[in-house]
Amino acid sequence: IGIYFNFGMEKPGKFDNFAQCITDSGAKFYGTFWCSHCNNQKKLFGSSVKKLPYIECSTSDGGGQLDVCKEANIEGYPTWIFADGSKMTGELSFEELSQKTNCPLPDTNK
């Protein structure tokens, strides 16, 4: 019953503003559902992951790469591409993401 009752009334994630700022900055986060480093990157954001500019690169069978990622020349996961055209691969810290997007660091002590 609780699931239906709360539908559409999710409480805000702890890092919603940071994640939304990253998205608004023009950054893109490319990954796959089977990539452990991508999943670690998502876990860093907790429930705020829904606000990230995430782009799934894998076909549903996990065996191929979708055209959107081929066109962006994505060769490893996770890959972040920023508004200035720079590209970084691997799990990025909040500090690195803040520096690349000019988004203020969230308070991680809350």
Side-chain angles (χ1 to χ4, degrees):
I1 293 174
I3 293 171
Y4 299 108
F5 184 75
N6 291 325
F7 183 75
M9 294 190 288
E10 291 177 49
K11 68 178 199 167
K14 185 156 87 165
F15 304 120
D16 279 5
N17 290 340
F18 187 52
Q20 187 63 56
C21 181
I22 289 170
T23 297
D24 292 346
S25 79
K28 295 195 179 343
F29 167 26
Y30 295 88
T32 66
F33 65 87
W34 48 260
C35 159
S36 62
H37 294 291
C38 302
N39 291 326
N40 290 343
Q41 184 77 84
K42 291 177 187 176
K43 281 181 192 150
L44 192 62
F45 283 87
S47 64
S48 300
V49 69
K50 65 189 175 293
K51 301 271 188 187
L52 285 178
Y54 179 73
I55 298 165
E56 177 61 48
C57 288
S58 181
T59 55
S60 58
D61 65 4
Q65 188 183 51
L66 297 174
D67 287 344
V68 66
C69 299
K70 288 178 186 170
E71 290 162 11
N73 296 315
I74 304 302
E75 297 172 356
Y77 310 109
T79 294
W80 287 86
I81 298 180
F82 300 96
D84 64 4
S86 65
K87 187 186 286 192
M88 293 177 77
T89 56
E91 295 172 46
L92 300 185
S93 67
F94 280 177
E95 289 80 10
E96 289 170 310
L97 289 166
S98 173
Q99 288 170 357
K100 293 300 292 180
T101 61
N102 293 318
C103 292
L105 271 172
D107 181 358
T108 55
N109 299 320
K110 286 185 184 173

